[in-house]
Amino acid sequence: MANRGSVKPSGNFNSSADAEVLHKAMKGLGTDEDAILQLLTARSNVQRQEIKAAYKTLFGKDLVDNLKSELGGKFETLIVGLMTPPIMYDAKSLHDAIKGAGTDEKVLVEILASRTPEVVNAIKAAYKKEYDHDLEEDVSGDTSGHFKRLLVILLPFSVFDVYMKMAGYEMEESIKRETSGSLEDLLLAVVKCARSVPAYFAETLYYAMKGAGTDDNTLIRVMVSRSEVDMLDIRAAFRRLFSCSLHSMIKGDTGGDYRKALLLLCGGDDA
């Protein structure tokens, strides 16, 4: 499958040279945030893992720990997300959504409805390894009723088996009529992903930024997790659906280094 991401692997890549650049950006007084974001948004996740290993070898320190101590706020969250391997990032997002008081059902819906069965299986294995818990048990322990039943159905088979049976437009109408709340959200997400995963994420990003206040967690999660997958298609769907570009909406809705990094992940303006 062609890579439709906005972030591509760097051609003349040297992990040690990159580690040196990051070390220099963080040592001494003050931090060169610009150097950090320019470099990390221009490398693939695989390359970032190699930089992390080179940094450890050269400086005896953990790159992610150093980044956390030098950066702050939403910008830190975004950069740490970029440094996390994709499967682990999904597992951590699910874990964060489940733990604590109340479940962030939106995150469960988004990840489980949009990932392939192979990816869901890999997420389950990573979750088990990292948290020594069974993802299905955690999900069913933390959700209720029909929503829980459907999520637990999605977990073993992922969604693609049920997809094509549900993709008609009239399906959406009957879901809206017959269900409500988190179950409705989940079923609609499944149908939307059946039709077009990029359009589903374009809509997710739009509603994360529309109106007063920004849902930064969703904005970060989608920009990080789709930057190497289908960001070019998401941008095209966004332009088609909302008659403005994703780039312009991010620009108007965010600020500082956080905005700079998000715009680099976006990879261009379709205005």
Side-chain angles (χ1 to χ4, degrees):
M1 188 180 139
N3 176 2
R4 297 292 296 154
S6 50
V7 173
K8 307 271 195 283
S10 170
N12 49 354
F13 173 65
N14 180 328
S15 58
S16 298
D18 283 354
E20 296 270 8
V21 170
L22 292 171
H23 185 251
K24 189 170 166 237
M26 291 189 281
K27 81 173 204 277
L29 283 171
T31 305
D32 186 350
E33 284 92 354
D34 215 51
I36 293 169
L37 68 90
Q38 294 282 352
L39 191 145
L40 292 178
T41 57
R43 303 292 180 270
S44 69
N45 195 283
V46 169
Q47 291 176 333
R48 292 180 206 128
Q49 302 314 315
E50 290 178 33
I51 297 167
K52 187 179 179 209
Y55 193 92
K56 183 79 169 165
T57 305
L58 289 168
F59 308 110
K61 292 186 171 136
D62 185 278
L63 174 56
V64 177
D65 289 346
N66 281 16
L67 286 165
K68 281 180 179 169
S69 66
E70 294 291 326
L71 309 174
K74 294 174 288 204
F75 181 52
E76 177 194 331
T77 306
L78 180 64
I79 294 295
V80 170
L82 289 175
M83 288 302 304
T84 310
I87 296 294
M88 197 55 240
Y89 187 69
D90 280 351
K92 185 181 184 310
S93 298
L94 289 168
H95 185 254
D96 291 348
I98 292 166
K99 77 176 204 298
T103 306
D104 189 344
E105 290 170 344
K106 186 171 59 204
V107 180
L108 304 185
V109 167
E110 178 197 301
I111 293 176
L112 297 175
S114 65
R115 307 302 192 251
T116 64
E118 297 75 36
V119 170
V120 171
N121 283 330
I123 294 167
K124 278 157 59 176
Y127 190 96
K128 179 81 177 151
K129 187 164 179 255
E130 186 68 18
Y131 304 110
D132 197 26
H133 265 241
D134 184 84
L135 179 57
E136 283 171 53
E137 283 174 18
D138 282 2
V139 165
S140 48
D142 224 60
T143 52
S144 59
H146 296 301
F147 178 65
K148 161 175 149 178
R149 284 211 291 279
L150 189 62
L151 271 182
V152 175
I153 290 167
L154 293 186
L155 270 164
F157 311 112
S158 200
V159 185
F160 284 84
D161 310 337
V162 260
Y163 265 7
M164 298 335 292
K165 301 178 187 118
M166 301 179 65
Y169 281 91
E170 65 287 346
M171 190 71 200
E172 266 185 48
E173 290 315 306
S174 62
I175 288 170
K176 286 176 181 164
R177 215 173 34 242
E178 304 292 334
T179 62
S180 61
S182 51
L183 180 62
E184 180 185 355
D185 293 340
L186 181 57
L187 289 168
L188 288 174
V190 170
V191 173
K192 282 170 183 167
C193 286
R195 213 169 285 138
S196 163
V197 170
Y200 168 71
F201 279 114
E203 206 174 283
T204 303
L205 286 168
Y206 179 78
Y207 288 109
M209 292 184 278
K210 180 182 174 284
T214 304
D215 178 356
D216 289 294
N217 288 338
T218 296
L219 182 55
I220 291 169
R221 194 174 56 251
V222 175
M223 294 304 290
V224 167
S225 65
R226 307 315 287 185
S227 59
E228 284 182 67
V229 183
D230 53 2
M231 188 54 67
L232 301 179
D233 297 327
I234 291 169
R235 273 169 40 191
F238 196 98
R239 189 81 192 78
R240 192 179 69 247
L241 290 167
F242 303 112
S243 66
C244 67
S245 68
L246 176 59
H247 191 278
S248 65
M249 198 158 181
I250 290 171
K251 201 171 176 180
D253 225 61
T254 57
D257 295 313
Y258 175 53
R259 170 164 65 187
K260 275 189 212 167
L262 285 171
L263 291 176
L264 286 168
L265 291 178
C266 182
D269 196 351
D270 310 289

